[in-house]
């Protein structure tokens, strides 16, 4: 899987694959591998947060998480920002959910200025029947 020159300067924080022809990379930018080419995916409108983790449920169902409680879902053509109940946190991983099931997020929340310690663990559920 050769990368483009513009990818060379991106920081990678998370990778997830549904198959060898459906791979997602997130970090300072977002990339999708379709089995033949890497495509740079535009950022979430109003996002601005660096993405830290990604999970793939299906070709049109990808979850990305990041700083300041940022959560987004790829719906096949664009990202949709998901409202997060917490703003001063880092979400580092999202567990993929089967269609129609809840998605789980883990990370930590800092209650001190400038993200100094102490930090508290975070487990958050998003989905049906919450």
């Amino acid at each position: 899987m050769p990368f483009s020159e513009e990818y060379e300067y991106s920081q990678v924080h998370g990778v997830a694959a549904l198959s060898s022809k459906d791979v997602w990379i997130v970090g300072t930018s977002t990339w999708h591998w379709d089995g033949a080419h890497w495509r740079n995916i535009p950022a979430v409108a109003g996002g601005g947060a660096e993405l830290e983790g990604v999970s793939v449920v299906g070709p049109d169902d990808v979850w990305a998480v990041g700083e300041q409680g940022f959560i987004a879902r790829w719906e096949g053509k664009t990202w949709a920002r998901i409202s997060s109940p917490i703003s001063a946190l880092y979400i580092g991983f999202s567990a993929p959910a089967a269609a129609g099931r809840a998605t789980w997020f883990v990370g930590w929340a800092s209650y001190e200025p400038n993200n100094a310690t102490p930090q508290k663990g975070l487990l958050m559920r998003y989905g049906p029947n919450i």
Side-chain angles (χ1 to χ4, degrees):
M1 289 189 236
F3 295 117
S4 72
E5 286 184 24
E6 61 183 303
Y7 179 79
E8 182 178 340
Y9 300 102
S10 296
Q11 292 180 7
V12 173
H13 297 292
V15 61
L18 186 61
S19 70
S20 62
K21 296 181 180 179
D22 193 356
V23 180
W24 289 80
I25 293 176
V26 298
T28 53
S29 58
T30 302
W31 293 83
H32 179 249
W33 173 257
D34 64 8
H37 302 94
W38 283 106
R39 180 170 62 111
N40 185 265
I41 303 298
V44 180
E50 194 167 298
L51 298 177
E52 301 293 340
V54 62
S55 293
V56 182
V57 179
D60 297 334
D61 194 359
V62 179
W63 293 80
V65 295
E67 300 169 338
Q68 291 88 40
F70 185 83
I71 303 172
R73 184 177 185 187
W74 177 258
E75 298 176 335
K77 296 185 183 192
T78 60
W79 289 104
R81 187 163 183 177
I82 305 298
S83 177
S84 174
I86 302 171
S87 61
L89 79 119
Y90 164 88
I91 301 176
F93 180 76
S94 61
R101 304 259 181 165
T103 298
W104 290 89
F105 303 96
V106 297
W108 63 84
S110 176
Y111 298 98
E112 298 288 325
N114 301 320
N115 291 327
T117 55
Q119 296 177 346
K120 306 241 181 205
L122 167 77
L123 176 63
M124 188 169 61
R125 180 176 176 230
Y126 176 87
N129 303 320
I130 297 179

